[in-house]
Amino acid sequence: MRWRCVLLGAWLLTWAQWGVAQQRVIPLDQLRSGLSYAGADVRALQADEFGNPAQLWLLRGEQRWIEPVGPEGKSCQQCHGAVAQGLRGVAARYPAMDRRSGELMMLEDRIRNCRTRQQRGPELAFESDDLLALSLYLTQASAGVRLQVDIGGAARVHWQEGERLFMQRRGQLNLACTHCHDQNHGQRFYTDLLSQGQPNGYPIYRMEWQKVGSLERRLRSCLVGVRAELPPWGALQLRQLALYLGWRGQGLPVESPAVRK
Ligand code: HEC
Ligand code: HEC
């Protein structure tokens, strides 16, 4: 009888480990930030404390953080304190489950939520300048903190779905995320050098956009790139992909404010 228990125990252990470690296509020690694939011009701009065009957006974020909003004139700062103390590290663990609603939330959803529920102020639209400025400001407060999203509990199904979506072919080009970012990073796709598609710089300042944009906007560009149909803003599948990306990039330090071509 005893050997059976031992065998069962060993099997369960292997299964559990497999469950956690399954399908890491790029091993953790080979993760590379998108910055390491960028040209010298982009790298110089990102490193330049004064020339980095995202700096203006950070100032804007700071203003939004401290200004009173809504009928009671509450500021983000009033409840959360100085961002570098109160919310340092938070951006590195998003997307995350919201206990109250049971929803998978991006950092942007959190901010929108606090704006309407806590401040009772006007809604911040997806990809609006104020929302981007705030999310950049919060992300920068986590610069250097390593990505660590939670895929346990209720997040599990979203992670699984995110993985499935990452592997799924789509669009007229019939390509999946994995084809470009797991299998062909370091290769050229038209004029672009393909990176591993890591999320650790987002929101970023993108030169092509001439402004800051969210991870969701970047994912939408990739969908356009393969000529796939675009889901509505805030669609669950994009959050699930973001959760999978966070897990896939686990341990990469948040780089912010980041710049891309
Ligand atoms: C046909 C190739 C292609 C496919 C398929 C593709 N992308 Fe991309 N992706 C790109 C290119 C080109 C860029 C810009 C250069 C780079 O960072 O690779 C990019 C950038 C990214 C970035 C930003 C990386 C950074 O450091 O700024 C992320 C994240 C990303 N892709 C995720 C995805 C996800 C998730 C999917 C699947 C829904 C996907 N991509 C599908 C080509 C692709
Ligand atoms: C009246 C107080 C109050 C105000 C004002 C407020 N928040 Fe919050 N915030 C909270 C509380 C309470 C929570 C945690 C519980 C919840 O809302 O789900 C929270 C949670 C958060 C989180 C998630 C933190 C985590 O650990 O995951 C972020 C990010 C955040 N707020 C950002 C903001 C921003 C940005 C603003 C201003 C636009 C703001 N908050 C305004 C009270 C506030």
Side-chain angles (χ1 to χ4, degrees), residues 76-130:
C76 315
Q77 179 166 263
Q78 236 170 294
C79 290
H80 291 290
V83 72
Q85 287 141 29
L87 289 178
R88 176 156 173 85
V90 168
R93 51 177 172 75
Y94 272 78
M97 297 304 294
D98 175 41
R99 274 204 209 99
R100 193 171 11 196
S101 64
E103 278 174 29
L104 179 63
M105 283 194 172
M106 305 286 287
L107 185 63
E108 285 85 356
D109 299 316
R110 265 279 171 231
I111 298 170
R112 298 178 77 227
N113 212 39
C114 271
R115 166 56 68 91
T116 48
R117 278 171 171 265
Q118 304 285 353
Q119 294 181 306
R120 294 198 282 133
E123 194 178 272
L124 287 165
F126 283 115
E127 216 61 14
S128 58
D129 289 353
D130 282 345

Short mmCIF file of all heavy atoms in Angstrom, two decimals, residues 76-130:
data_model
loop_
_atom_site.label_atom_id
_atom_site.label_comp_id
_atom_site.label_asym_id
_atom_site.label_seq_id
_atom_site.Cartn_x
_atom_site.Cartn_y
_atom_site.Cartn_z
N CYS A 76 -6.01 61.74 -5.77
CA CYS A 76 -5.45 60.39 -5.63
C CYS A 76 -4.49 60.39 -4.44
O CYS A 76 -4.47 59.48 -3.63
CB CYS A 76 -4.66 59.98 -6.87
SG CYS A 76 -5.40 60.32 -8.47
N GLN A 77 -3.70 61.45 -4.37
CA GLN A 77 -2.67 61.53 -3.34
C GLN A 77 -3.24 61.50 -1.93
O GLN A 77 -2.66 60.91 -1.02
CB GLN A 77 -1.85 62.80 -3.54
CG GLN A 77 -0.75 62.98 -2.51
CD GLN A 77 0.24 64.04 -2.93
OE1 GLN A 77 1.28 63.73 -3.48
NE2 GLN A 77 -0.13 65.28 -2.71
N GLN A 78 -4.41 62.12 -1.77
CA GLN A 78 -5.04 62.18 -0.45
C GLN A 78 -5.23 60.78 0.13
O GLN A 78 -5.06 60.56 1.31
CB GLN A 78 -6.40 62.84 -0.58
CG GLN A 78 -6.59 64.04 0.32
CD GLN A 78 -7.87 64.75 -0.09
OE1 GLN A 78 -7.96 65.30 -1.19
NE2 GLN A 78 -8.85 64.73 0.78
N CYS A 79 -5.63 59.85 -0.71
CA CYS A 79 -5.85 58.49 -0.22
C CYS A 79 -4.59 57.64 -0.28
O CYS A 79 -4.37 56.79 0.57
CB CYS A 79 -6.95 57.80 -1.03
SG CYS A 79 -8.58 58.49 -0.71
N HIS A 80 -3.78 57.84 -1.31
CA HIS A 80 -2.67 56.91 -1.54
C HIS A 80 -1.32 57.45 -1.10
O HIS A 80 -0.35 56.70 -1.08
CB HIS A 80 -2.59 56.54 -3.03
CG HIS A 80 -3.74 55.71 -3.49
ND1 HIS A 80 -3.90 54.40 -3.12
CD2 HIS A 80 -4.78 55.99 -4.30
CE1 HIS A 80 -5.00 53.91 -3.69
NE2 HIS A 80 -5.55 54.85 -4.40
N GLY A 81 -1.22 58.72 -0.79
CA GLY A 81 0.07 59.28 -0.42
C GLY A 81 0.97 59.53 -1.62
O GLY A 81 0.51 59.50 -2.75
N ALA A 82 2.25 59.76 -1.35
CA ALA A 82 3.19 59.98 -2.43
C ALA A 82 3.30 58.70 -3.24
O ALA A 82 3.41 57.61 -2.68
CB ALA A 82 4.56 60.36 -1.87
N VAL A 83 3.25 58.85 -4.57
CA VAL A 83 3.13 57.66 -5.41
C VAL A 83 4.32 56.71 -5.25
O VAL A 83 4.16 55.49 -5.23
CB VAL A 83 2.90 58.07 -6.89
CG1 VAL A 83 4.15 58.65 -7.51
CG2 VAL A 83 2.40 56.90 -7.68
N ALA A 84 5.51 57.28 -5.09
CA ALA A 84 6.70 56.44 -5.03
C ALA A 84 6.72 55.59 -3.76
O ALA A 84 7.38 54.56 -3.71
CB ALA A 84 7.96 57.30 -5.10
N GLN A 85 6.00 56.02 -2.75
CA GLN A 85 5.93 55.19 -1.54
C GLN A 85 4.66 54.34 -1.55
O GLN A 85 4.70 53.13 -1.50
CB GLN A 85 5.93 56.08 -0.29
CG GLN A 85 7.29 56.68 -0.01
CD GLN A 85 7.18 58.12 0.48
OE1 GLN A 85 6.20 58.50 1.11
NE2 GLN A 85 8.20 58.90 0.18
N GLY A 86 3.50 55.02 -1.67
CA GLY A 86 2.23 54.33 -1.56
C GLY A 86 1.99 53.26 -2.61
O GLY A 86 1.40 52.23 -2.32
N LEU A 87 2.45 53.51 -3.85
CA LEU A 87 2.11 52.57 -4.91
C LEU A 87 3.33 51.98 -5.61
O LEU A 87 3.21 51.43 -6.70
CB LEU A 87 1.16 53.23 -5.91
CG LEU A 87 -0.27 53.48 -5.37
CD1 LEU A 87 -1.13 54.16 -6.40
CD2 LEU A 87 -0.94 52.19 -4.93
N ARG A 88 4.48 52.06 -4.99
CA ARG A 88 5.65 51.44 -5.61
C ARG A 88 5.47 49.93 -5.67
O ARG A 88 5.05 49.30 -4.70
CB ARG A 88 6.92 51.78 -4.82
CG ARG A 88 8.15 51.08 -5.40
CD ARG A 88 9.46 51.76 -5.07
NE ARG A 88 10.59 50.94 -5.51
CZ ARG A 88 11.10 50.96 -6.74
NH1 ARG A 88 10.57 51.75 -7.66
NH2 ARG A 88 12.11 50.18 -7.07
N GLY A 89 5.73 49.37 -6.84
CA GLY A 89 5.63 47.92 -6.99
C GLY A 89 4.29 47.46 -7.53
O GLY A 89 4.16 46.36 -8.04
N VAL A 90 3.27 48.33 -7.41
CA VAL A 90 1.93 47.92 -7.83
C VAL A 90 1.88 47.60 -9.33
O VAL A 90 1.35 46.56 -9.74
CB VAL A 90 0.90 49.02 -7.46
CG1 VAL A 90 -0.43 48.77 -8.14
CG2 VAL A 90 0.72 49.06 -5.95
N ALA A 91 2.45 48.48 -10.15
CA ALA A 91 2.36 48.29 -11.60
C ALA A 91 2.97 46.96 -12.04
O ALA A 91 2.54 46.37 -13.03
CB ALA A 91 3.06 49.45 -12.33
N ALA A 92 3.95 46.45 -11.28
CA ALA A 92 4.64 45.22 -11.66
C ALA A 92 3.76 43.98 -11.47
O ALA A 92 4.08 42.92 -11.98
CB ALA A 92 5.93 45.07 -10.84
N ARG A 93 2.66 44.12 -10.73
CA ARG A 93 1.83 42.93 -10.55
C ARG A 93 0.46 43.02 -11.23
O ARG A 93 -0.47 42.31 -10.90
CB ARG A 93 1.70 42.57 -9.07
CG ARG A 93 1.27 43.68 -8.16
CD ARG A 93 1.11 43.16 -6.73
NE ARG A 93 0.88 44.23 -5.79
CZ ARG A 93 -0.28 44.87 -5.67
NH1 ARG A 93 -1.31 44.55 -6.44
NH2 ARG A 93 -0.40 45.85 -4.78
N TYR A 94 0.37 43.93 -12.21
CA TYR A 94 -0.85 44.00 -13.01
C TYR A 94 -0.60 43.42 -14.39
O TYR A 94 0.52 43.47 -14.84
CB TYR A 94 -1.32 45.46 -13.13
CG TYR A 94 -2.22 45.81 -11.96
CD1 TYR A 94 -1.67 46.09 -10.72
CD2 TYR A 94 -3.60 45.79 -12.10
CE1 TYR A 94 -2.49 46.36 -9.63
CE2 TYR A 94 -4.42 46.05 -11.02
CZ TYR A 94 -3.87 46.35 -9.79
OH TYR A 94 -4.68 46.60 -8.72
N PRO A 95 -1.67 42.83 -15.06
CA PRO A 95 -3.06 42.75 -14.62
C PRO A 95 -3.25 41.85 -13.41
O PRO A 95 -2.47 40.92 -13.20
CB PRO A 95 -3.79 42.16 -15.83
CG PRO A 95 -2.78 41.84 -16.86
CD PRO A 95 -1.46 42.26 -16.38
N ALA A 96 -4.32 42.15 -12.65
CA ALA A 96 -4.60 41.39 -11.43
C ALA A 96 -6.10 41.29 -11.23
O ALA A 96 -6.87 42.09 -11.77
CB ALA A 96 -3.95 42.10 -10.25
N MET A 97 -6.49 40.30 -10.43
CA MET A 97 -7.91 40.12 -10.15
C MET A 97 -8.39 41.18 -9.17
O MET A 97 -7.70 41.51 -8.21
CB MET A 97 -8.17 38.74 -9.54
CG MET A 97 -7.84 37.57 -10.43
SD MET A 97 -8.69 37.60 -12.02
CE MET A 97 -10.40 37.39 -11.51
N ASP A 98 -9.58 41.68 -9.42
CA ASP A 98 -10.23 42.57 -8.46
C ASP A 98 -11.17 41.72 -7.62
O ASP A 98 -12.08 41.09 -8.16
CB ASP A 98 -11.01 43.65 -9.22
CG ASP A 98 -11.82 44.53 -8.28
OD1 ASP A 98 -11.27 44.88 -7.20
OD2 ASP A 98 -12.97 44.85 -8.59
N ARG A 99 -10.92 41.70 -6.32
CA ARG A 99 -11.72 40.82 -5.46
C ARG A 99 -13.19 41.18 -5.47
O ARG A 99 -14.05 40.32 -5.49
CB ARG A 99 -11.18 40.87 -4.02
CG ARG A 99 -10.07 39.87 -3.85
CD ARG A 99 -9.88 39.44 -2.41
NE ARG A 99 -8.47 39.08 -2.25
CZ ARG A 99 -7.58 39.90 -1.71
NH1 ARG A 99 -7.94 41.06 -1.21
NH2 ARG A 99 -6.33 39.54 -1.63
N ARG A 100 -13.45 42.47 -5.46
CA ARG A 100 -14.84 42.90 -5.35
C ARG A 100 -15.69 42.47 -6.55
O ARG A 100 -16.73 41.87 -6.41
CB ARG A 100 -14.90 44.41 -5.19
CG ARG A 100 -16.28 44.84 -4.75
CD ARG A 100 -16.35 46.30 -4.37
NE ARG A 100 -15.17 47.08 -4.75
CZ ARG A 100 -14.91 48.27 -4.24
NH1 ARG A 100 -15.69 48.77 -3.33
NH2 ARG A 100 -13.86 48.95 -4.63
N SER A 101 -15.19 42.77 -7.74
CA SER A 101 -15.99 42.50 -8.93
C SER A 101 -15.67 41.13 -9.54
O SER A 101 -16.41 40.64 -10.39
CB SER A 101 -15.73 43.59 -9.99
OG SER A 101 -14.38 43.52 -10.40
N GLY A 102 -14.56 40.53 -9.13
CA GLY A 102 -14.16 39.26 -9.73
C GLY A 102 -13.62 39.43 -11.14
O GLY A 102 -13.47 38.47 -11.88
N GLU A 103 -13.30 40.69 -11.51
CA GLU A 103 -12.81 40.92 -12.87
C GLU A 103 -11.29 41.01 -12.93
O GLU A 103 -10.64 41.39 -11.95
CB GLU A 103 -13.36 42.26 -13.40
CG GLU A 103 -14.76 42.14 -13.94
CD GLU A 103 -15.32 43.51 -14.31
OE1 GLU A 103 -14.52 44.40 -14.66
OE2 GLU A 103 -16.55 43.67 -14.22
N LEU A 104 -10.77 40.65 -14.09
CA LEU A 104 -9.34 40.81 -14.34
C LEU A 104 -9.10 42.25 -14.75
O LEU A 104 -9.67 42.72 -15.73
CB LEU A 104 -8.90 39.86 -15.45
CG LEU A 104 -7.44 39.91 -15.85
CD1 LEU A 104 -6.52 39.51 -14.70
CD2 LEU A 104 -7.18 39.01 -17.06
N MET A 105 -8.26 42.96 -14.00
CA MET A 105 -8.08 44.39 -14.26
C MET A 105 -6.67 44.74 -14.69
O MET A 105 -5.69 44.27 -14.10
CB MET A 105 -8.39 45.19 -13.00
CG MET A 105 -9.86 45.34 -12.72
SD MET A 105 -10.07 46.64 -11.48
CE MET A 105 -11.85 46.78 -11.50
N MET A 106 -6.59 45.60 -15.67
CA MET A 106 -5.32 46.23 -16.03
C MET A 106 -5.11 47.38 -15.05
O MET A 106 -6.06 47.84 -14.41
CB MET A 106 -5.38 46.80 -17.45
CG MET A 106 -5.79 45.82 -18.52
SD MET A 106 -4.49 44.66 -18.91
CE MET A 106 -3.36 45.69 -19.83
N LEU A 107 -3.89 47.89 -15.00
CA LEU A 107 -3.64 49.06 -14.14
C LEU A 107 -4.58 50.20 -14.53
O LEU A 107 -5.12 50.91 -13.67
CB LEU A 107 -2.18 49.49 -14.28
CG LEU A 107 -1.73 50.63 -13.37
CD1 LEU A 107 -1.82 50.23 -11.92
CD2 LEU A 107 -0.30 51.05 -13.71
N GLU A 108 -4.80 50.35 -15.83
CA GLU A 108 -5.68 51.42 -16.32
C GLU A 108 -7.11 51.26 -15.78
O GLU A 108 -7.79 52.24 -15.49
CB GLU A 108 -5.71 51.46 -17.86
CG GLU A 108 -4.45 52.04 -18.50
CD GLU A 108 -3.33 51.03 -18.67
OE1 GLU A 108 -3.50 49.87 -18.24
OE2 GLU A 108 -2.29 51.40 -19.24
N ASP A 109 -7.57 50.01 -15.69
CA ASP A 109 -8.93 49.78 -15.16
C ASP A 109 -9.00 50.23 -13.71
O ASP A 109 -10.00 50.79 -13.26
CB ASP A 109 -9.28 48.28 -15.21
CG ASP A 109 -9.26 47.75 -16.63
OD1 ASP A 109 -9.79 48.43 -17.52
OD2 ASP A 109 -8.72 46.65 -16.84
N ARG A 110 -7.96 49.94 -12.96
CA ARG A 110 -7.89 50.34 -11.56
C ARG A 110 -8.02 51.84 -11.40
O ARG A 110 -8.73 52.34 -10.55
CB ARG A 110 -6.51 49.95 -11.02
CG ARG A 110 -6.50 48.67 -10.35
CD ARG A 110 -7.03 48.88 -8.96
NE ARG A 110 -7.23 47.61 -8.33
CZ ARG A 110 -8.36 47.26 -7.74
NH1 ARG A 110 -9.36 48.09 -7.72
NH2 ARG A 110 -8.47 46.11 -7.17
N ILE A 111 -7.27 52.54 -12.25
CA ILE A 111 -7.28 54.00 -12.17
C ILE A 111 -8.66 54.53 -12.54
O ILE A 111 -9.21 55.40 -11.85
CB ILE A 111 -6.21 54.59 -13.13
CG1 ILE A 111 -4.83 54.10 -12.70
CG2 ILE A 111 -6.28 56.10 -13.16
CD1 ILE A 111 -3.72 54.41 -13.70
N ARG A 112 -9.24 53.98 -13.58
CA ARG A 112 -10.59 54.40 -14.00
C ARG A 112 -11.60 54.14 -12.89
O ARG A 112 -12.49 54.93 -12.63
CB ARG A 112 -11.01 53.65 -15.26
CG ARG A 112 -10.11 53.94 -16.44
CD ARG A 112 -10.53 53.15 -17.65
NE ARG A 112 -11.70 53.74 -18.28
CZ ARG A 112 -12.76 53.05 -18.67
NH1 ARG A 112 -12.82 51.76 -18.51
NH2 ARG A 112 -13.78 53.66 -19.23
N ASN A 113 -11.43 52.99 -12.25
CA ASN A 113 -12.31 52.60 -11.16
C ASN A 113 -12.24 53.59 -9.99
O ASN A 113 -13.25 54.01 -9.46
CB ASN A 113 -11.83 51.22 -10.70
CG ASN A 113 -12.96 50.39 -10.19
OD1 ASN A 113 -14.04 50.43 -10.77
ND2 ASN A 113 -12.74 49.64 -9.12
N CYS A 114 -11.03 53.93 -9.59
CA CYS A 114 -10.86 54.88 -8.48
C CYS A 114 -11.41 56.25 -8.87
O CYS A 114 -11.97 56.94 -8.04
CB CYS A 114 -9.40 55.00 -8.08
SG CYS A 114 -8.93 53.79 -6.82
N ARG A 115 -11.21 56.62 -10.12
CA ARG A 115 -11.72 57.92 -10.55
C ARG A 115 -13.24 58.01 -10.38
O ARG A 115 -13.76 58.98 -9.86
CB ARG A 115 -11.32 58.17 -12.02
CG ARG A 115 -12.03 59.30 -12.72
CD ARG A 115 -11.91 60.62 -11.99
NE ARG A 115 -10.59 61.19 -11.96
CZ ARG A 115 -10.12 62.04 -12.87
NH1 ARG A 115 -10.86 62.39 -13.88
NH2 ARG A 115 -8.92 62.54 -12.75
N THR A 116 -13.97 56.98 -10.78
CA THR A 116 -15.43 57.07 -10.68
C THR A 116 -15.95 56.67 -9.30
O THR A 116 -16.83 57.31 -8.76
CB THR A 116 -16.11 56.20 -11.76
OG1 THR A 116 -15.52 54.91 -11.75
CG2 THR A 116 -15.99 56.80 -13.12
N ARG A 117 -15.37 55.62 -8.69
CA ARG A 117 -15.91 55.15 -7.41
C ARG A 117 -15.40 55.94 -6.22
O ARG A 117 -16.16 56.27 -5.31
CB ARG A 117 -15.50 53.70 -7.17
CG ARG A 117 -16.38 52.72 -7.87
CD ARG A 117 -15.74 51.34 -7.75
NE ARG A 117 -16.64 50.33 -8.22
CZ ARG A 117 -17.45 49.64 -7.44
NH1 ARG A 117 -17.47 49.83 -6.15
NH2 ARG A 117 -18.25 48.73 -7.96
N GLN A 118 -14.11 56.20 -6.20
CA GLN A 118 -13.52 56.86 -5.03
C GLN A 118 -13.59 58.38 -5.12
O GLN A 118 -13.85 59.04 -4.13
CB GLN A 118 -12.06 56.42 -4.84
CG GLN A 118 -11.87 54.92 -4.72
CD GLN A 118 -12.31 54.39 -3.36
OE1 GLN A 118 -12.63 55.14 -2.45
NE2 GLN A 118 -12.35 53.07 -3.22
N GLN A 119 -13.33 58.90 -6.31
CA GLN A 119 -13.37 60.36 -6.44
C GLN A 119 -14.74 60.85 -6.89
O GLN A 119 -15.04 62.02 -6.77
CB GLN A 119 -12.32 60.83 -7.47
CG GLN A 119 -10.88 60.59 -7.05
CD GLN A 119 -9.91 61.09 -8.10
OE1 GLN A 119 -10.00 60.73 -9.27
NE2 GLN A 119 -8.97 61.92 -7.68
N ARG A 120 -15.52 59.95 -7.41
CA ARG A 120 -16.82 60.28 -8.01
C ARG A 120 -16.66 61.42 -9.03
O ARG A 120 -17.45 62.37 -9.08
CB ARG A 120 -17.85 60.60 -6.92
CG ARG A 120 -18.13 59.30 -6.11
CD ARG A 120 -19.40 59.38 -5.33
NE ARG A 120 -19.26 60.14 -4.12
CZ ARG A 120 -20.13 61.09 -3.73
NH1 ARG A 120 -21.18 61.37 -4.46
NH2 ARG A 120 -19.92 61.74 -2.62
N GLY A 121 -15.62 61.31 -9.81
CA GLY A 121 -15.34 62.31 -10.84
C GLY A 121 -15.75 61.78 -12.21
O GLY A 121 -16.21 60.66 -12.33
N PRO A 122 -15.56 62.60 -13.24
CA PRO A 122 -15.91 62.18 -14.60
C PRO A 122 -15.04 61.02 -15.06
O PRO A 122 -13.86 60.94 -14.72
CB PRO A 122 -15.65 63.43 -15.45
CG PRO A 122 -14.72 64.26 -14.64
CD PRO A 122 -14.99 63.95 -13.20
N GLU A 123 -15.63 60.11 -15.82
CA GLU A 123 -14.91 58.91 -16.28
C GLU A 123 -13.67 59.28 -17.09
O GLU A 123 -13.67 60.26 -17.83
CB GLU A 123 -15.86 58.09 -17.14
CG GLU A 123 -15.37 56.69 -17.39
CD GLU A 123 -16.36 55.88 -18.21
OE1 GLU A 123 -17.25 55.26 -17.60
OE2 GLU A 123 -16.23 55.89 -19.45
N LEU A 124 -12.63 58.48 -16.92
CA LEU A 124 -11.44 58.63 -17.76
C LEU A 124 -11.58 57.63 -18.92
O LEU A 124 -11.61 56.43 -18.69
CB LEU A 124 -10.18 58.29 -16.96
CG LEU A 124 -9.73 59.30 -15.90
CD1 LEU A 124 -8.72 58.68 -14.95
CD2 LEU A 124 -9.13 60.52 -16.59
N ALA A 125 -11.67 58.15 -20.14
CA ALA A 125 -11.87 57.27 -21.29
C ALA A 125 -10.62 56.43 -21.56
O ALA A 125 -9.51 56.85 -21.23
CB ALA A 125 -12.22 58.09 -22.53
N PHE A 126 -10.81 55.25 -22.13
CA PHE A 126 -9.68 54.42 -22.54
C PHE A 126 -8.76 55.24 -23.44
O PHE A 126 -9.23 55.94 -24.33
CB PHE A 126 -10.15 53.20 -23.35
CG PHE A 126 -10.73 52.10 -22.49
CD1 PHE A 126 -12.06 51.74 -22.59
CD2 PHE A 126 -9.92 51.42 -21.59
CE1 PHE A 126 -12.58 50.73 -21.81
CE2 PHE A 126 -10.43 50.41 -20.81
CZ PHE A 126 -11.77 50.06 -20.91
N GLU A 127 -7.48 55.13 -23.18
CA GLU A 127 -6.46 55.75 -24.03
C GLU A 127 -6.53 57.28 -24.04
O GLU A 127 -5.98 57.92 -24.93
CB GLU A 127 -6.54 55.17 -25.44
CG GLU A 127 -5.20 54.98 -26.15
CD GLU A 127 -4.24 54.02 -25.45
OE1 GLU A 127 -4.65 53.26 -24.54
OE2 GLU A 127 -3.05 54.05 -25.80
N SER A 128 -7.26 57.86 -23.07
CA SER A 128 -7.28 59.32 -22.99
C SER A 128 -5.93 59.79 -22.42
O SER A 128 -5.25 59.04 -21.71
CB SER A 128 -8.42 59.80 -22.09
OG SER A 128 -8.28 59.25 -20.79
N ASP A 129 -5.57 61.02 -22.73
CA ASP A 129 -4.27 61.52 -22.31
C ASP A 129 -4.11 61.50 -20.78
O ASP A 129 -3.04 61.16 -20.27
CB ASP A 129 -4.08 62.96 -22.82
CG ASP A 129 -3.87 62.98 -24.33
OD1 ASP A 129 -3.75 61.89 -24.92
OD2 ASP A 129 -3.82 64.07 -24.91
N ASP A 130 -5.17 61.85 -20.05
CA ASP A 130 -5.06 61.87 -18.60
C ASP A 130 -4.87 60.46 -18.03
O ASP A 130 -4.09 60.25 -17.09
CB ASP A 130 -6.30 62.52 -17.97
CG ASP A 130 -6.23 64.05 -18.07
OD1 ASP A 130 -5.13 64.57 -18.36
OD2 ASP A 130 -7.26 64.70 -17.87
#
